[in-house]
Amino acid sequence: MRALRILIRSIRDSFKSVGRNFSLSAAAITCSTITLILVSVAIILSYNVQEVTNTLEKELTIVAYVKKDATNENIEELKREIDAMSKVDSYVFKSKDEWKLEMKQESDTLNTTLDYLETNPLLDSFIIKVKEVGDLKVTTERIRKFDFISSAEYGEGMVENIVGAFDIISRGTIVIVIALILVTAFLISNTIKLTIFSRKSEIEIMRLVGASNIAIKLPFIFEGFILGVLGSVIPTIVTIYGYHLLYDKLGGHVFSNIIQLVEPFNFVFYVSFILLLIGAIVGMFGSYRAVRKHLKI
């Protein structure tokens, strides 16, 4: 019962403190709001970049062309060699006749051109997917050495540049998120320090009447929790409505259909929950840090 009374009183006092120190509380909430909006943008950007990277990695394939003089036995041997490669996830063999039919269906011009030719100029090929994007180069170089393989390509150079650029963006946004969280903790911590300084006499009286350390600390910790949660309300609203608006405005993709945005439903709620969690935890941590270091109780 005593613990419950202390808890209830601490929550009540924390709300009173937020109201009494309105200007300091408003400053902390405003700063938290701004930083958490930036955190939201960084999380959304990072997750979308990661999804685009994953999609690209799944779509990236090696096209290995078989030599014209290869027999059916040679093709079966190539299949066994590809099967034996540990870095290969899957592959599909496509004959030159299948290629011809597919290309004829793409346009009337190709259809007319290929019908005009007496022989099929295309080559049989293997469409190969690897387990990791980093395996593309090594796997391609190994396949090129196979007998009866004319050539093997995967977009060398361009693929590494695109994946590398997305990786840098993803890592950069993670660093920004961490930095902004630390800034939010610092701002709330400093706000609590000022609150503590303005309530020195009250704290001294609490000590004199025998209040325990936890009874003195709890109101400040709850105050940090309240400031953090209030600071995350606007970023949560901005995230939910802002991302929906952006998604609809861009038609679900950026620049081209290759770069697809994550669908808003569920995603924005996950991000909003993360913002509320960051606000609450960072607020409590900032308060606890201020109480522990500057009250010395």
Side-chain angles (χ1 to χ4, degrees):
M1 287 299 293
R2 183 173 178 272
L4 182 61
R5 285 198 303 271
I6 292 173
L7 182 65
I8 293 171
R9 186 171 62 247
S10 297
I11 295 172
R12 181 195 63 202
D13 291 345
S14 63
F15 276 104
K16 286 182 179 179
S17 178
V18 170
R20 277 200 304 264
N21 303 278
F22 180 75
S23 58
L24 294 175
S25 299
I29 291 169
T30 302
C31 292
S32 299
T33 297
I34 294 170
T35 51
L36 286 175
I37 287 174
L38 295 175
V39 167
S40 175
V41 171
I43 291 173
I44 288 171
L45 179 60
S46 178
Y47 192 82
N48 273 283
V49 167
Q50 189 61 48
E51 283 297 300
V52 170
T53 303
N54 292 338
T55 301
L56 282 174
E57 288 179 358
K58 290 176 184 177
E59 294 299 322
L60 291 173
T61 56
I62 301 167
V63 181
Y65 295 100
V66 181
K67 290 181 179 178
K68 285 185 177 181
D69 58 351
T71 62
N72 289 334
E73 289 75 14
N74 299 143
I75 291 172
E76 290 301 318
E77 183 183 342
L78 285 171
K79 288 180 180 180
R80 288 192 293 271
E81 288 179 316
I82 294 170
D83 275 326
M85 298 178 72
S86 60
K87 298 182 186 298
V88 171
D89 183 50
S90 62
Y91 71 90
V92 175
F93 174 76
K94 189 174 284 190
S95 69
K96 59 184 179 182
D97 293 328
E98 290 175 309
W99 275 116
K100 182 178 180 180
L101 181 62
E102 187 176 305
M103 293 179 72
K104 286 175 70 175
Q105 291 173 345
E106 285 185 3
S107 71
D108 293 335
T109 304
L110 285 173
N111 185 20
T112 304
T113 303
L114 290 171
D115 281 341
Y116 176 77
L117 298 171
E118 293 182 0
T119 58
N120 189 345
L122 304 175
L123 297 173
D124 296 332
S125 64
F126 288 92
I127 313 299
I128 303 163
K129 288 188 177 183
V130 294
K131 294 177 180 178
E132 300 288 339
V133 69
D135 299 331
L136 278 170
K137 185 175 182 180
V138 176
T139 306
T140 303
E141 288 175 351
R142 185 177 170 188
I143 290 172
R144 284 170 180 166
K145 295 177 182 178
F146 288 171
D147 292 334
F148 303 104
I149 288 292
S150 173
S151 63
E153 305 296 336
Y154 69 95
E156 191 171 358
M158 182 184 68
V159 169
E160 286 85 355
N161 290 337
I162 293 173
V163 174
F166 282 142
D167 187 55
I168 291 171
I169 294 171
S170 182
R171 290 175 186 272
T173 50
I174 291 170
V175 171
I176 290 170
V177 168
I178 294 171
L180 290 172
I181 290 172
L182 293 175
V183 168
T184 305
F186 175 77
L187 292 170
I188 293 177
S189 176
N190 280 341
T191 301
I192 299 298
K193 287 178 195 174
L194 293 172
T195 304
I196 292 168
F197 184 78
S198 67
R199 294 169 60 185
K200 272 187 175 180
S201 58
E202 180 184 335
I203 293 166
E204 288 298 327
I205 293 170
M206 291 174 71
R207 281 174 172 167
L208 290 172
V209 298
S212 64
N213 288 346
I214 192 67
I216 299 173
K217 290 178 181 178
L218 272 179
F220 293 106
I221 294 173
F222 279 119
E223 186 175 343
F225 173 82
I226 293 167
L227 293 174
V229 170
L230 290 176
S232 63
V233 171
I234 293 177
T236 297
I237 295 171
V238 170
T239 298
I240 293 172
Y241 289 99
Y243 188 73
H244 268 97
L245 183 64
L246 178 68
Y247 186 88
D248 293 338
K249 188 77 174 176
L250 296 176
H253 62 268
V254 181
F255 303 126
S256 71
N257 289 328
I258 297 175
I259 306 178
Q260 293 285 335
L261 295 173
V262 178
E263 292 187 2
F265 189 71
N266 285 338
F267 174 60
V268 290
F269 297 113
Y270 291 139
V271 176
S272 299
F273 176 74
I274 290 170
L275 293 178
L276 285 168
L277 199 63
I278 290 173
I281 293 174
V282 166
M284 293 176 72
F285 173 76
S287 299
Y288 175 77
R289 182 172 171 272
V291 171
R292 186 171 63 88
K293 287 192 173 183
H294 296 278
L295 288 184
K296 300 185 185 300
I297 56 176

